[in-house]
Amino acid sequence: DILRTSEAFVDEMNRGLRGEDSSLMMICTYISPEGEIPPGEPVIAVDAGGTNFRVALVRFDEKRMPVIDYFKTYPMLGTERELYGQEFFDTVSQYLLPVIDRSRKIGFCFSFPTEILPNKDGRLIMFDKEVRVRDVEGVNIGEQLLKILKKKGVAEDKNIVLLNDTVATLLGGKASNPERTYDSYIGFILGTGTNTCYIEDNRNITKVPSVAMQEGFTIINIESGGFDKVPRGEIDIRFDSSTDNPGAQKFEKMISGAYLGRLVLEIMKIAAAEGLFSKEFAGRIREIRNLTTRDINEFTLSGHFDCGNEADEKDRVILYYIIDSVLERAARLAAANLAGVMLKTGKGKNPCLPVCVAA
């Protein structure tokens, strides 16, 4: 029920803004959506996501178009093996060294639940998306990174701003279409994990009195992957217990890329045990150790899977409907998420002045 789910989402948003118990963290970013981009000034841009770690040197030209002068992509630290915090920060600093002398400013897009501080540094709450790094929870990410850089001989003081990937996405949407007027903006991530951010009236952020007393608006990082007021089935609960962080990020585990393939595999194994598939295909399912979201996507596009005998069309049809149902549920939950934000703000009611969703 999209409307009922949206209303529950709004209630959790309000509770989180008041500092009450809520499954939505409603993290104050201390970042305003207002302001102009200074042309010609290079900035070191860092992106730590659930799959990739990227470093770039970016500036905007006189037409406000981004110019990328350096770009490197690495596997996200902690995805291939578990790391300790010291190795994590050492490696990040090493990735930054080729461009560290090109700018005083570092914008660090950090895609994990983080308490943003008034100085725009961030204290890690936890890693999610199955990223495994130990001894970093509670650490100020920017402060620790700058200490390591100093030890490696970087003399110049750097200004680092930590922001969530949803916030970067919202601001990217604002920057990419400066001529168009929108009623408001939403940043929405639906990739390895999921999250949402939006622009809130400062008066409503009562859990941060210093912000609530100021005129204006601030971007709020909802941490929507943690939303838990949504109906789950027995298989959701069983699957959740098999993940690295059981009981956490319940909403994320129902809609995002790190989990959908594995959730479908859990359903397939139970369906096989309950006799929905032929004996041959059920035997093949029992042998599958891992199924990715890419795998299920390719099956729904092509209709082909290693089902054994090509004549056994029934297995493929049943499998297609199982996957299609999981994806439709994910789509409805994503819609409820976005609708909840718009219902909360009351924005976008005028069709000539819509809300811009940067996804």
Side-chain angles (χ1 to χ4, degrees):
D1 186 324
I2 292 177
L3 180 58
R4 187 177 299 170
T5 304
S6 297
E7 289 171 345
F9 197 89
V10 172
D11 184 58
E12 289 291 279
M13 290 177 74
N14 285 324
R15 292 173 65 85
L17 286 173
R18 294 192 296 264
E20 299 170 4
D21 186 42
S22 172
S23 61
L24 298 178
M25 294 182 189
M26 304 300 288
I27 296 170
C28 179
T29 67
Y30 299 94
I31 293 174
S32 165
E34 306 305 318
E36 298 296 324
I37 297 169
E41 182 180 2
V43 174
I44 298 166
V46 185
D47 173 35
T51 304
N52 296 305
F53 188 94
R54 304 180 181 95
V55 179
L57 189 72
V58 185
R59 58 187 165 86
F60 285 81
D61 63 20
E62 296 299 329
K63 296 180 180 178
R64 306 289 172 83
M65 297 302 293
V67 179
I68 300 173
D69 294 319
Y70 174 94
F71 185 80
K72 291 285 185 182
T73 299
Y74 309 91
M76 177 56 194
L77 302 163
T79 54
E80 297 178 335
R81 62 183 177 87
E82 187 175 63
L83 304 177
Y84 281 93
Q86 182 66 37
E87 185 179 359
F88 175 83
F89 286 109
D90 274 342
T91 307
V92 170
S93 63
Q94 203 63 38
Y95 291 161
L96 288 177
L97 288 180
V99 290
I100 199 65
D101 294 327
R102 304 278 296 275
S103 175
R104 286 192 63 252
K105 294 184 176 181
I106 302 172
F108 196 159
C109 175
F110 193 73
S111 310
F112 304 92
T114 303
E115 176 194 357
I116 300 299
L117 307 174
N119 65 357
K120 298 186 176 65
D121 195 357
R123 184 177 296 123
L124 179 67
I125 296 169
M126 65 175 180
F127 276 107
D128 56 7
K129 309 179 188 71
E130 307 296 282
V131 171
R132 295 165 297 155
V133 183
R134 299 182 66 175
D135 300 335
V136 185
E137 291 182 5
V139 171
N140 293 355
I141 300 296
E143 178 186 340
Q144 188 65 23
L145 180 57
L146 293 178
K147 281 182 183 177
I148 300 290
L149 287 168
K150 286 279 188 186
K151 287 181 181 178
K152 294 193 174 184
V154 178
E156 185 183 39
D157 288 334
K158 304 294 179 182
N159 177 38
I160 189 164
V161 173
L162 215 75
L163 68 166
N164 189 269
D165 55 345
T166 45
V167 180
T169 301
L170 183 153
L171 294 171
K174 193 170 189 292
S176 66
N177 199 358
E179 306 306 317
R180 177 72 192 266
T181 301
Y182 290 100
D183 202 10
S184 193
Y185 293 83
I186 293 173
F188 181 53
I189 299 293
L190 185 54
T192 308
T194 189
N195 194 11
T196 321
C197 75
Y198 75 108
I199 299 168
E200 182 58 84
D201 189 319
N202 285 349
R203 292 173 297 181
N204 296 327
I205 312 172
T206 53
K207 70 174 181 178
V208 187
S210 61
V211 173
M213 290 187 295
Q214 298 175 18
E215 292 290 326
F217 299 86
T218 296
I219 298 173
I220 294 291
N221 167 19
I222 297 174
E223 286 298 339
S224 54
F227 180 53
D228 67 3
K229 301 297 183 287
V230 62
R232 296 193 301 161
E234 290 178 19
I235 300 176
D236 290 307
I237 296 166
R238 175 167 156 173
F239 170 66
D240 180 18
S241 68
S242 73
T243 62
D244 284 349
N245 55 346
Q249 300 298 99
K250 294 176 183 176
F251 190 69
E252 184 169 80
K253 289 169 184 172
M254 298 169 80
I255 75 171
S256 72
Y259 302 102
L260 280 180
R262 293 163 55 192
L263 176 60
V264 165
L265 180 58
E266 188 78 27
I267 298 169
M268 287 168 61
K269 288 183 180 292
I270 293 171
E274 294 185 358
L276 266 72
F277 298 111
S278 68
K279 286 186 178 180
E280 180 190 6
F281 188 46
R284 287 176 175 268
I285 288 173
R286 283 192 289 270
E287 295 172 3
I288 298 174
R289 293 291 171 262
N290 186 42
L291 196 67
T292 67
T293 300
R294 179 172 297 192
D295 293 331
I296 65 171
N297 178 62
E298 289 176 356
F299 172 76
T300 55
L301 288 173
S302 67
H304 290 283
F305 197 71
D306 186 10
C307 296
N309 189 340
E310 278 297 314
D312 200 354
E313 188 76 9
K314 184 180 176 184
D315 286 328
R316 287 202 303 278
V317 171
I318 292 169
L319 180 58
Y320 183 93
Y321 280 122
I322 287 174
I323 295 172
D324 190 59
S325 295
V326 172
L327 296 181
E328 180 172 346
R329 183 181 73 163
R332 293 175 72 83
L333 290 172
N337 176 350
L338 293 170
V341 177
M342 287 184 236
L343 288 169
K344 164 72 179 74
T345 60
K347 300 292 186 179
K349 294 179 178 178
N350 178 348
C352 298
L353 201 64
V355 171
C356 172
V357 179

